[in-house]
Amino acid sequence: HGNGNHDKETHARAKAFLAFQFTQPGAPIISVGDVVKSDKSLVTFYQSLIALRKSYPLLTDGKVSFYEMDDENNVLAYARENKDGERIYIAFNMSSKSLKMPTPLGFMSSTKVRVWQSNFPKLREFVTQGPITMRPLTATIMIIP
């Protein structure tokens, strides 16, 4: 298996990639069967993404607008919005350091949000007190209920 840190990094990158697939139109190209064969520890993670997408069709149906592309910090962030004004913000931190999740202009702190992160794939609801921290090599999905 080799270097444990390399394995962790590969695992984290795979999770971020899966999260990216799940926030794009169309079905992901990886099936649960493929996940089980390659890495049983990803199954719960994968199932959390399936549940998230079923609960929030906006993840694949909303209009996409990119608001952060930072090559220096390896960050990509975009919003999905529908005609009713519902919004979801999606950000990827592909750097090796923790960073603050970028939010688009006009986002208010002290907002009630639901947050899913690839390093902790359970939906949490809380009122923001400031920027959300993104761990290295993670995806963050912030839903404005």
Side-chain angles (χ1 to χ4, degrees):
H1 275 284
N3 183 334
N5 278 346
H6 175 71
D7 291 346
K8 277 185 183 174
E9 183 177 318
T10 301
H11 209 250
R13 286 182 187 279
K15 286 180 171 182
F17 177 71
L18 280 170
F20 181 76
Q21 280 193 312
F22 265 83
T23 61
Q24 299 303 310
I29 57 172
I30 299 171
S31 74
V32 175
D34 293 337
V35 171
V36 172
K37 279 182 239 156
S38 67
D39 190 341
K40 284 183 173 37
S41 68
L42 283 177
V43 172
T44 303
F45 174 80
Y46 191 80
Q47 289 169 333
S48 80
L49 278 169
I50 291 170
L52 193 63
R53 195 160 74 173
K54 282 182 180 169
S55 297
Y56 298 97
L58 183 56
L59 280 172
T60 55
D61 296 342
K63 185 180 127 214
V64 174
S65 54
F66 290 87
Y67 61 86
E68 183 84 29
M69 289 178 263
D70 181 345
D71 288 339
E72 188 178 323
N73 286 313
N74 286 328
V75 172
L76 172 68
Y78 52 95
R80 283 198 164 272
E81 192 168 353
N82 65 17
K83 58 187 178 305
D84 299 328
E86 295 175 299
R87 293 181 320 270
I88 292 179
Y89 302 119
I90 302 156
F92 299 89
N93 174 9
M94 299 314 294
S95 76
S96 57
K97 58 187 185 250
S98 290
L99 298 170
K100 302 297 180 202
M101 180 182 181
T103 52
L105 287 173
F107 179 80
M108 307 289 283
S109 60
S110 298
T111 299
K112 186 178 184 179
V113 297
R114 291 185 183 124
V115 173
W116 178 97
Q117 293 182 295
S118 58
N119 60 314
F120 187 78
K122 290 181 174 30
L123 200 56
R124 296 169 292 153
E125 185 171 53
F126 56 91
V127 174
T128 58
Q129 301 300 317
I132 293 169
T133 299
M134 299 188 306
R135 305 280 304 152
L137 302 173
T138 57
T140 300
I141 299 173
M142 183 169 58
I143 299 155
I144 313 300

